[in-house]
Amino acid sequence: MKLNLIRKQRGVTTLEYIVLGAVLVLGLVAGISAFKGKVSDSLDKEGKTLSDVAAGQTSGAKNYDK
């Protein structure tokens, strides 16, 4: 009976901390990868637009001066 009581009161084990840390790190890595992907796509589109404008192809650009 005392052995069961001691097991219930020991709290969080080292393995549980390791698993929790691994899950948090994987979530952080996935979030950073998704963010970098979105930023990269956005920069690709802006770069293409700037190249088109520099080449004189402004048909897709809006004129905000009017």
Side-chain angles (χ1 to χ4, degrees):
M1 181 72 176
K2 265 191 167 178
L3 185 60
N4 287 337
L5 185 60
I6 292 171
R7 284 184 184 169
K8 289 181 184 178
Q9 293 179 350
R10 70 179 174 186
V12 181
T13 63
T14 303
L15 181 60
E16 290 169 329
Y17 278 122
I18 291 171
V19 170
L20 179 63
V23 169
L24 291 174
V25 168
L26 288 175
L28 184 64
V29 169
I32 290 172
S33 296
F35 178 75
K36 284 175 63 177
K38 286 186 178 187
V39 169
S40 177
D41 290 344
S42 178
L43 289 176
D44 287 342
K45 289 178 185 176
E46 288 185 31
K48 183 177 179 336
T49 302
L50 288 174
S51 295
D52 290 346
V53 169
Q57 301 171 354
T58 60
S59 63
K62 294 182 180 180
N63 187 357
Y64 291 105
D65 292 334
K66 291 183 180 180

